[in-house]
Amino acid sequence: MSAEAADRVAAVTSGRPSTPLQTSWFEFLLDGSLLEKHLQKSNADPTPVQLIVQFLEQASKPSVNEQNQVQPPADNRRNRTLKLLALKVAAHMKWDLDSLEKGLTIPVLNMLLNELLCVSKVPPGVKHVDLDLSTLPPTTAMAVIIYNRWAIRTIVLSSFPEKQTKPGPHQINMLNIVQQEKEMTENILTVLKEQATDSITVLEGALQLKKDFYVHTLRTLDLLAADAAANGETESSTAGLRISADDLHCQVHYDLGGIFFQQGCTDQPTYEKARDHFRQTKELLKKLDSTVHVHLDEKRLAGYWNACRALTGDCDPCDPQTTPYDQINSLIRAHNHQAVMEAFIKDNVSRSLPNHFRRSVLREFLYKVQQGVCGLRRGASPCHRIPGDHLDL
């Protein structure tokens, strides 16, 4: 008797209520209708992202031949079905990259989206930048857009610091697996960064398309599996989930703003490109009554927007809507050192500016004094007249 069968027997013979058993990945292979039923549950166990991991993990397991030699994963019906199941789960999630990125590692998501490119009939061996999105079937064009959105988003996310967790005694045996995954991630990131310019060009091209877009659903993926695509149904203009041009453009503008903002650290003019994309994002968000494809953090968008305005000088210090950060950054950029000093002295009363910001400005002025910047002389930096007790240096 298997362990699962023994658990079921114990649950029946005992008088206590049993905890529902987690559905195993192979059960979805045996019952084609089970996946949709499972995904409709409010607290599905396994969760959608866990199912994607399980399906792709099983589909990518290497095989061993009769000579006990390790072989690449077989291209058989079982593995193709598992990959299709993973895609159907992502379709159920409406291809929400925000949720997929939070639940899946870069190698797993890379595998998933490459499978999407494959089933969407994206021409193999052709660079995405060389494709004309306007001539591709709707779901094919959308697969290209989703992949390249993920590519630039991954570059941006990888630039954020990660909290490193120390493995416990029971995790020591997992270190080799973790190291392998880390190497795979670094290899994927290297490729994505090399192709970043192409990905940006693809997405900028998508912004020129003014028609509605369509993305694969569980039904269109089922049609592909049944080879019903031969009648052209999955390539028609009405197959799949409809996404308006404004809906998609809003999300693409946001993603492009993120990559340009990240590049601004080494290329100052790209902050202006980031600002323009975030402005378009904000305008489209106001225009949209409801969204299908837009999944963004509006607080982060507001932070990006304020940062871009400050970094590009796109704000009026006299505007009552301008934040103190914007005002001081604009004054610094205008070399109005006297006004900077007055702004800080005024803030000594309200104390609205945090100490780390004040210290940052002080360090910047001290550096300029040391470099002999015109308009500043040693002992005359406006920050030197800011009370030291408030600076907490």
Side-chain angles (χ1 to χ4, degrees):
M1 179 183 295
S2 69
E4 288 186 5
D7 288 340
R8 289 189 174 93
V9 171
V12 172
T13 56
S14 67
R16 295 171 300 185
S18 61
T19 301
L21 294 171
Q22 185 183 74
T23 307
S24 297
W25 62 268
F26 61 83
E27 295 181 56
F28 297 97
L29 283 175
L30 302 175
D31 183 354
S33 65
L34 182 59
L35 182 63
E36 288 192 52
K37 295 176 184 176
H38 181 82
L39 293 174
Q40 295 304 320
K41 296 177 182 178
S42 57
N43 295 304
D45 186 18
T47 64
V49 289
Q50 287 173 339
L51 278 178
I52 292 175
V53 172
Q54 291 178 19
F55 292 148
L56 293 181
E57 183 181 63
Q58 294 298 325
S60 60
K61 276 189 174 180
S63 58
V64 180
N65 62 16
E66 295 178 355
Q67 287 75 38
N68 206 31
Q69 296 173 324
V70 178
Q71 302 292 315
D75 182 19
N76 53 32
R77 181 179 178 182
R78 169 189 175 276
N79 287 346
R80 287 194 296 271
T81 302
L82 285 167
K83 292 175 182 177
L84 183 67
L85 287 171
L87 290 173
K88 290 174 73 173
V89 176
H92 168 77
M93 298 173 67
K94 297 182 179 179
W95 306 98
D96 177 2
L97 286 181
D98 192 50
S99 296
L100 291 170
E101 288 161 347
K102 289 175 181 176
L104 302 176
T105 63
I106 290 176
V108 172
L109 195 42
N110 180 61
M111 189 188 310
L112 177 74
L113 295 182
N114 272 289
E115 191 61 28
L116 173 64
L117 294 174
C118 182
V119 301
S120 300
K121 298 182 171 61
V122 175
V126 179
K127 290 184 176 181
H128 292 176
V129 73
D130 294 330
L131 297 172
D132 183 353
L133 296 180
S134 65
T135 64
L136 296 176
T139 50
T140 304
M142 196 62 192
V144 173
I145 293 170
I146 290 173
Y147 178 87
N148 286 281
R149 279 188 52 224
W150 168 75
I152 64 171
R153 288 166 64 97
T154 301
I155 294 171
V156 173
L157 290 173
S158 69
S159 67
F160 298 157
E162 291 185 10
K163 183 179 180 181
Q164 300 295 326
T165 56
K166 294 182 179 180
H170 62 290
Q171 295 176 304
I172 297 299
N173 293 334
M174 296 292 291
L175 287 179
N176 287 337
I177 297 176
V178 171
Q179 182 61 30
Q180 290 175 2
E181 184 173 284
K182 183 179 179 181
E183 291 174 0
M184 289 176 61
T185 299
E186 290 174 351
N187 291 337
I188 293 169
L189 282 171
T190 298
V191 173
L192 296 180
K193 289 175 182 178
E194 290 173 352
Q195 299 175 349
T197 301
D198 286 354
S199 291
I200 290 171
T201 302
V202 168
L203 295 176
E204 289 175 335
L207 293 175
Q208 304 307 311
L209 302 179
K210 306 305 180 184
K211 62 182 180 180
D212 290 341
F213 296 81
Y214 290 83
V215 66
H216 275 303
T217 61
L218 277 75
R219 180 174 178 273
T220 59
L221 290 169
D222 271 335
L223 290 173
L224 288 175
D227 203 26
N231 63 17
E233 184 173 0
T234 58
E235 294 186 3
S236 75
S237 60
T238 57
L241 177 66
R242 186 181 74 85
I243 299 171
S244 71
D246 284 344
D247 199 337
L248 180 72
H249 291 173
C250 182
Q251 184 67 63
V252 171
H253 276 301
Y254 178 76
D255 294 335
L256 284 172
I259 189 69
F260 283 129
F261 188 87
Q262 191 248 0
Q263 292 178 347
C265 299
T266 55
D267 184 13
Q268 183 75 16
T270 59
Y271 281 129
E272 296 181 5
K273 292 183 180 180
R275 177 201 60 200
D276 294 341
H277 281 293
F278 289 132
R279 177 185 286 119
Q280 291 286 339
T281 304
K282 288 165 63 69
E283 291 175 357
L284 287 169
L285 271 179
K286 293 177 183 177
K287 181 179 177 181
L288 292 167
D289 294 326
S290 60
T291 61
V292 175
H293 201 62
V294 175
H295 302 280
L296 55 83
D297 184 337
E298 292 195 38
K299 288 184 178 179
R300 175 168 287 184
L301 171 61
Y304 270 136
W305 173 244
N306 288 331
C308 285
R309 293 184 69 200
L311 290 164
T312 59
D314 183 25
C315 54
D316 180 1
C318 298
D319 185 349
Q321 300 298 318
T322 302
T323 67
Y325 296 98
D326 292 336
Q327 293 173 353
I328 290 175
N329 279 311
S330 294
L331 294 171
I332 293 173
R333 187 167 283 101
H335 305 292
N336 191 342
H337 306 127
Q338 178 66 29
V340 173
M341 177 187 68
E342 292 172 358
F344 272 109
I345 293 176
K346 181 180 178 180
D347 186 69
N348 286 338
V349 178
S350 62
R351 299 199 172 192
S352 62
L353 294 171
N355 285 340
H356 67 79
F357 177 71
R358 299 168 72 90
R359 284 195 292 265
S360 174
V361 175
L362 176 60
R363 284 194 297 269
E364 182 175 346
F365 274 95
L366 289 174
Y367 175 76
K368 288 182 177 180
V369 169
Q370 293 168 357
Q371 297 299 311
V373 174
C374 181
L376 288 175
R377 57 184 174 79
R378 190 171 298 278
S381 169
C383 293
H384 286 170
R385 293 179 58 185
I386 303 171
D389 60 334
H390 187 43
L391 271 174
D392 192 26
L393 290 174

